[in-house]
Amino acid sequence: GGISLLVGGIGVMNIMLITVTERTREIGVRKALGATRRDIRTQFVVEAMIVCLIGGLIGVLLGGGLGMLGAQLLGALVPPPVGAVVVSLLFALGIGLFFGYYPANKGGRRAPIEALRYEQAVWRTGVPRPRRDSGKASLEASSRTSGRGLRGTFYRSAGVS
């Protein structure tokens, strides 16, 4: 049980780190408009807690439903104890709070100008933007934007233009 909670918590933390990274520009705009570190941190911690609470509710519904189905097959009616349901949902909220704090704090510590420049910095590093078309044009763009390595050389020598 404890290992499952740890693995689930690490999964939540990774998802929230990805969320914070994807929403860097939003964080910059909010901070530029006056949001404090605490506001940003609260937003992401609450999101992590909601994600965990939804997972906890799904777990309670599945566990309670399957348990009641099994009890009915044995000829008994045994609803899940209310105390156990409340404790499990509180644990889910606690996991969201504990494992969501680090990504939320990371998002809250960003300087507004750094967060607003984030997309431009990614663009200048030479990382190609995702393209909607596929095939030869994408290969061409990726070999041209990298500007180094054997990948571009290979395509040019193979006659792919």
Side-chain angles (χ1 to χ4, degrees):
I3 293 175
S4 298
L5 286 175
L6 181 66
V7 170
I10 291 171
V12 167
M13 185 171 62
N14 286 333
I15 294 298
M16 292 309 296
L17 281 169
I18 291 169
T19 301
V20 167
T21 302
E22 287 178 349
R23 294 168 64 185
T24 299
R25 190 163 180 84
E26 175 191 336
I27 293 169
V29 169
R30 287 194 65 211
K31 289 191 91 169
L33 292 175
T36 63
R37 284 182 180 185
R38 184 177 184 176
D39 294 334
I40 304 294
R41 193 180 322 128
T42 301
Q43 173 188 350
F44 285 107
V45 166
V46 167
E47 285 181 19
M49 291 174 69
I50 288 172
V51 166
C52 287
L53 184 62
I54 290 170
L57 283 170
I58 291 170
V60 164
L61 291 174
L62 281 175
L66 291 175
M68 287 175 52
L69 179 68
Q72 189 177 17
L73 291 175
L74 295 174
L77 180 62
V78 183
V82 175
V85 170
V86 169
V87 167
S88 65
L89 294 177
L90 288 175
F91 256 94
L93 285 173
I95 293 292
L97 175 66
F98 183 76
F99 286 99
Y101 185 80
Y102 172 73
N105 196 35
K106 186 176 178 183
R109 283 185 292 153
R110 294 225 166 144
I113 193 69
E114 173 194 328
L116 288 172
R117 280 193 209 164
Y118 176 73
E119 287 181 16
Q120 290 179 344
V122 169
W123 177 248
R124 288 184 186 147
T125 59
V127 176
R129 284 190 163 176
R131 296 181 63 122
R132 293 190 188 273
D133 60 337
S134 60
K136 193 162 89 171
S138 293
L139 293 174
E140 218 179 293
S142 64
S143 66
R144 195 172 43 239
T145 54
S146 68
R148 59 187 181 280
L150 297 176
R151 184 174 183 177
T153 308
F154 172 76
Y155 287 117
R156 280 191 292 274
S157 66
V160 177
S161 54

